[in-house]
Each structure stands twice: as structure tokens, then as C-alpha cells.
């Protein structure tokens, strides 16, 4: 069962600060019926990367990376979710 206020996220398997972008994550959550039902790992093609530096503004916008320190580079990955969620 989903825990109110808790965030789940996917990070690059090699530990880099590369996270699934919000739209891709929403597609997966919708497909699986909630955060608690998401698979532990996903493999998918990366369509694009967006880089930003962690600021107070980005902490508010991307709450799932709120634990990262201010000033660090964060990358969000837009991925092809079609194989994971269907057409």
C-alpha cells in the first residue's frame, strides 16, 4: 500500500545521480496502480537527458531528489516507457 508523503524513484543502476523524469514516473505509477506496486528495477531506452543544479526551487519541483545537497548536478532521464506500459 502506498504511504502518504513517501516518494519512490528510479536511479541509474551504477549510482550516478540520474533519475527517471516525472512524466515517465507518472506513466509507470498509473500502469502499476501505485508506488507500492512498482517493479524494483526497470530497463528502458533513454530518449533524452535534462541536467540541472540542485537549488531550493528544484527541491520543491522535484521532491524525489530533495535529499540531495544544494549545488550538486542532477540529471533526469526521459525514457521510452511504451515497452513497460503498452501502447
Amino acid at each position: 500500500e502506498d504511504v502518504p508523503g513517501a516518494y519512490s524513484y528510479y536511479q541509474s543502476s551504477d549510482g550516478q545521480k540520474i533519475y527517471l523524469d516525472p512524466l515517465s514516473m507518472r506513466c509507470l505509477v498509473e500502469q502499476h496502480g501505485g508506488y507500492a506496486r512498482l517493479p524494483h528495477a526497470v530497463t528502458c531506452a533513454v530518449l533524452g537527458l535534462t541536467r540541472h543544479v540542485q537549488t531550493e526551487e528544484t527541491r520543491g519541483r522535484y521532491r524525489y531528489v530533495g535529499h540531495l545537497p544544494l549545488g550538486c548536478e542532477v540529471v533526469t532521464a526521459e525514457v521510452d516507457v511504451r515497452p513497460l506500459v503498452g501502447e
Side-chain angles (χ1 to χ4, degrees), residues 1-2 4-5 9 33 35 41 48 59 62 68 80-81:
E1 184 174 318
D2 287 350
Y9 56 87
Y35 286 97
R59 273 190 174 159
Y62 306 112
L68 297 174
D80 183 2
V81 295

Side-chain angles (χ1 to χ4, degrees), residues 3-81:
V3 177
Y7 293 96
S8 296
Y9 56 87
Y10 289 105
Q11 181 178 356
S12 176
S13 62
D14 62 5
Q16 294 183 69
K17 293 179 181 76
I18 302 174
Y19 301 91
L20 199 60
D21 76 300
L23 178 58
S24 299
M25 190 67 177
R26 278 193 301 267
C27 291
L28 291 174
V29 170
E30 181 69 25
Q31 174 69 25
H32 292 281
Y35 286 97
R37 295 181 177 178
L38 289 171
H40 292 288
V42 295
T43 301
C44 44
V46 175
L47 301 175
L49 299 173
T50 301
R51 300 176 188 283
H52 66 266
V53 174
Q54 182 76 310
T55 64
E56 290 294 343
E57 179 184 342
T58 60
R59 273 190 174 159
R61 181 179 297 155
Y62 306 112
R63 288 180 247 161
Y64 57 93
V65 293
H67 63 285
L68 297 174
L70 294 174
C72 77
E73 183 179 62
V74 179
V75 179
T76 55
E78 177 187 356
V79 299
D80 183 2
V81 295

